[in-house]
Amino acid sequence: MKILHQLDRPNFKASKSDKILIRYIKEHAEEFCTTPIASLAINCGVSEATITRFVRKMGFASLQLFKLTLTEEMVNNKQRTIISKDITCDESIIITANKLLANNIATLEQTVSGLDEDILLKSVNMLKKAERIFFIGLGNSGFVADDSAYKFMRIGFNARGIDNSHLIMLHMALLHENDVVVVISHSGESFEIIKAVELAKRNGTKLIVITSNRDTILKEYADACIFYETRESILETGSITTKLTQIFIIDLLYTQVVKDTMDLASAFKQRTTEAINILRLENLKLKENKEGIYNAYNSYRFL
């Protein structure tokens, strides 16, 4: 059986550590094939012996043979797996557009149908009471973390988005019980995120986790865990569908916070909008001054 297929449907009973490895390989297949076993163990948060046993369960005599086979399989399937399996190379761009649209809509519909209203409202209440809100994420989830902090900052919250693992750990070390950390992690198994969450929880901080992994270890630390659906293939990681779904959940929480604090949120949004407009007006004046100087110079040249 091919590796990529077996990762989705193992022919053995996968342990907790096996599931961590499977998730890691799906998210970082190319990196897995080029990283030494010692570094893989650190990145995944499992032992080297666990990786060796996993490879044997998958039917390979050695890790090196497993990596070579996986690399060859990815090369052979690259065209098919880096985009949605429903899309063909000979179809028109409009057909592709409609397929992508349908895929995004279906993913959002599945996500909404699986949402827990009590968990959502609990998350909203934590956000409203927070002294500070930290949105953390790595890679593509880091982009969403930065955007999320910006949204909440515009309505008066002390919010910050962090997408660097070292900075995340520094901030997690200085948290207190009045803070809230919103963890955005597609895999739910990133070693750096798990360590950051453990550190934040030791400081008594409230944690909201947004992930696609219903078996994530982050559930053990979270005060609220919000799950979303995903349709990514192994090499399609970072697709717009995943970011769209993450942003949708953040926007849902944001919208409910605004609904609950409409007068205050509107006042802060007005003030922050006016502050940004100050810069826009100054930039406009600067542009007009430059054009005036340029036009005066050209007039002088032709005198």
Side-chain angles (χ1 to χ4, degrees):
M1 184 184 294
K2 291 185 176 181
I3 292 176
L4 297 179
H5 180 74
Q6 195 175 174
L7 290 175
D8 287 326
R9 300 176 182 83
N11 57 10
F12 57 89
K13 185 176 180 180
S15 65
K16 186 176 181 180
S17 297
D18 291 336
K19 290 179 180 178
I20 292 176
L21 277 168
I22 289 172
R23 175 67 67 169
Y24 184 85
I25 296 171
K26 284 184 175 183
E27 297 292 333
H28 309 281
E30 295 183 21
E31 180 182 329
F32 183 90
C33 293
T34 59
T35 304
I37 188 171
S39 297
L40 284 175
I42 294 173
N43 293 342
C44 298
V46 300
S47 67
E48 295 182 26
T50 296
I51 296 175
T52 302
R53 286 194 297 269
F54 172 78
V55 166
R56 289 173 180 167
K57 289 179 184 178
M58 292 286 288
F60 293 85
S62 67
L63 176 60
Q64 187 63 22
L65 180 58
F66 179 87
K67 287 181 177 180
L68 289 172
T69 305
L70 179 57
T71 300
E72 181 180 358
E73 194 172 321
M74 286 193 298
V75 170
N76 292 336
N77 292 333
K78 187 173 184 180
Q79 180 176 306
R80 179 175 60 83
T81 56
I82 63 174
I83 57 177
S84 172
K85 63 184 178 183
D86 300 323
I87 295 173
T88 60
C89 294
D90 57 352
E91 68 188 26
S92 73
I93 191 169
I94 297 302
I95 291 176
T96 299
N98 281 290
K99 286 183 178 180
L100 290 174
L101 175 62
N103 185 49
N104 288 333
I105 291 173
T107 301
L108 288 174
E109 287 177 341
Q110 290 178 9
T111 294
V112 171
S113 66
L115 292 175
D116 186 318
E117 185 172 3
D118 292 336
I119 294 297
L120 291 172
L121 292 177
K122 182 178 181 181
S123 300
V124 168
N125 286 329
M126 283 191 284
L127 292 170
K128 289 191 299 183
K129 296 176 182 178
E131 184 174 313
R132 297 181 299 174
I133 305 174
F134 293 87
F135 295 88
I136 67 172
L138 298 175
N140 288 289
S141 296
F143 300 143
V144 178
D146 290 335
D147 181 72
S148 301
Y150 181 79
K151 287 176 70 70
F152 277 83
M153 191 184 304
R154 291 292 303 273
I155 57 171
F157 283 84
N158 185 351
R160 178 164 184 180
I162 318 173
D163 58 7
N164 176 284
S165 58
H166 287 185
L167 287 177
I168 288 174
M169 291 300 286
L170 290 176
H171 282 284
M172 295 305 101
L174 301 174
L175 295 173
H176 52 70
E177 60 184 11
N178 295 324
D179 294 328
V180 171
V181 175
V182 181
V183 182
I184 305 169
S185 175
H186 179 61
S187 69
E189 300 292 356
S190 298
F191 174 74
E192 298 95 329
I193 292 295
I194 292 173
K195 289 302 177 184
V197 165
E198 290 175 350
L199 182 56
K201 204 59 184 177
R202 285 205 295 269
N203 289 325
T205 305
K206 296 289 191 300
L207 292 169
I208 300 171
V209 173
I210 300 173
T211 182
S212 69
N213 182 8
R214 295 181 180 274
D215 296 321
T216 177
I217 192 174
L218 296 176
K219 287 193 302 183
E220 299 178 11
Y221 305 97
D223 295 280
C225 207
I226 304 172
F227 300 106
Y228 61 86
E229 297 300 321
T230 181
R231 293 187 168 199
E232 284 186 350
S233 63
I234 292 175
L235 296 183
E236 198 187 352
T237 302
S239 73
I240 190 64
T241 302
T242 293
K243 289 192 282 288
L244 177 64
T245 311
Q246 292 173 337
I247 291 171
F248 174 82
I249 291 175
I250 292 293
D251 199 41
L252 177 61
L253 298 175
Y254 167 86
T255 301
Q256 187 61 43
V257 168
V258 171
K259 285 164 58 181
D260 292 348
T261 62
M262 181 60 75
D263 292 341
L264 192 59
S266 296
F268 278 121
K269 189 64 175 288
Q270 180 66 31
R271 289 169 59 182
T272 53
T273 299
E274 291 172 355
I276 291 174
N277 283 337
I278 292 173
L279 294 180
R280 289 175 179 168
L281 290 173
E282 290 300 318
N283 285 331
L284 183 59
K285 290 178 183 178
L286 183 61
K287 181 180 178 182
E288 290 174 347
N289 288 337
K290 286 182 177 179
E291 289 178 350
I293 294 172
Y294 178 76
N295 291 334
Y297 171 73
N298 280 337
S299 296
Y300 174 78
R301 280 198 310 155
F302 293 105
L303 287 177

